Amino acid sequence: MNYLISIALAFISALATAYTTFYFTRKSNRALNMQRLEKVYFPLYVLLEDYFYQFDKFEYPKFIPLIKRIIEENRLLAGNFLYSSFEDLCKD
C-alpha cells in the first residue's frame, strides 16, 4: 500500500513540476516590454529619427546629453547591453 502511495505522489509531483515549468516559460513579459518600448526605445528613436541615413549632417555631440538622460533615467529598463554600450561610447 505504501508503495502505491509513493508512486502516486511521485507522479503527482512530476506533473506539478511540469505544469509549473510550462506555465512560467510560456508567460511573456508583455508589460515590461511595453514599458521598455515607451520609456527607452521610442524616445531614442524619435530623437534620432531625422538623422538616420544622413551621416553628413549628423550632429553627434548635441545628442549625447539627451541620450544619456534617457538611458540613465531608465537604466533598469534599458538593460545592461544598451547601458554598457552607451558608457563605452561616452568613454571614447
Side-chain angles (χ1 to χ4, degrees):
M1 184 69 176
N2 288 336
Y3 180 71
L4 292 175
I5 293 174
S6 63
I7 290 175
L9 288 176
F11 183 72
I12 291 172
S13 65
L15 283 177
T17 303
Y19 175 76
T20 305
T21 304
F22 180 74
Y23 176 75
F24 283 115
T25 56
R26 300 267 302 159
K27 188 177 177 183
S28 67
N29 294 325
R30 186 171 298 185
L32 179 64
N33 288 337
M34 285 299 295
Q35 192 174 16
R36 183 178 293 144
L37 179 67
E38 291 172 355
K39 292 188 177 184
V40 179
Y41 296 132
F42 185 71
L44 290 177
Y45 179 77
V46 168
L47 183 66
L48 298 172
E49 180 180 17
D50 295 335
Y51 295 96
F52 286 152
Y53 310 112
Q54 296 180 7
F55 299 109
D56 55 339
K57 298 179 184 178
F58 189 69
E59 299 170 9
Y60 184 75
K62 182 175 94 172
F63 290 107
I64 296 296
L66 299 173
I67 293 172
K68 184 176 184 178
R69 183 179 55 84
I70 290 170
I71 292 176
E72 286 183 351
E73 285 178 359
N74 302 299
R75 181 177 180 194
L76 294 176
L77 288 174
N80 189 36
F81 179 74
L82 182 61
Y83 185 78
S84 62
S85 298
F86 181 73
E87 288 296 318
D88 291 342
L89 179 69
C90 288
K91 287 180 185 176
D92 294 339

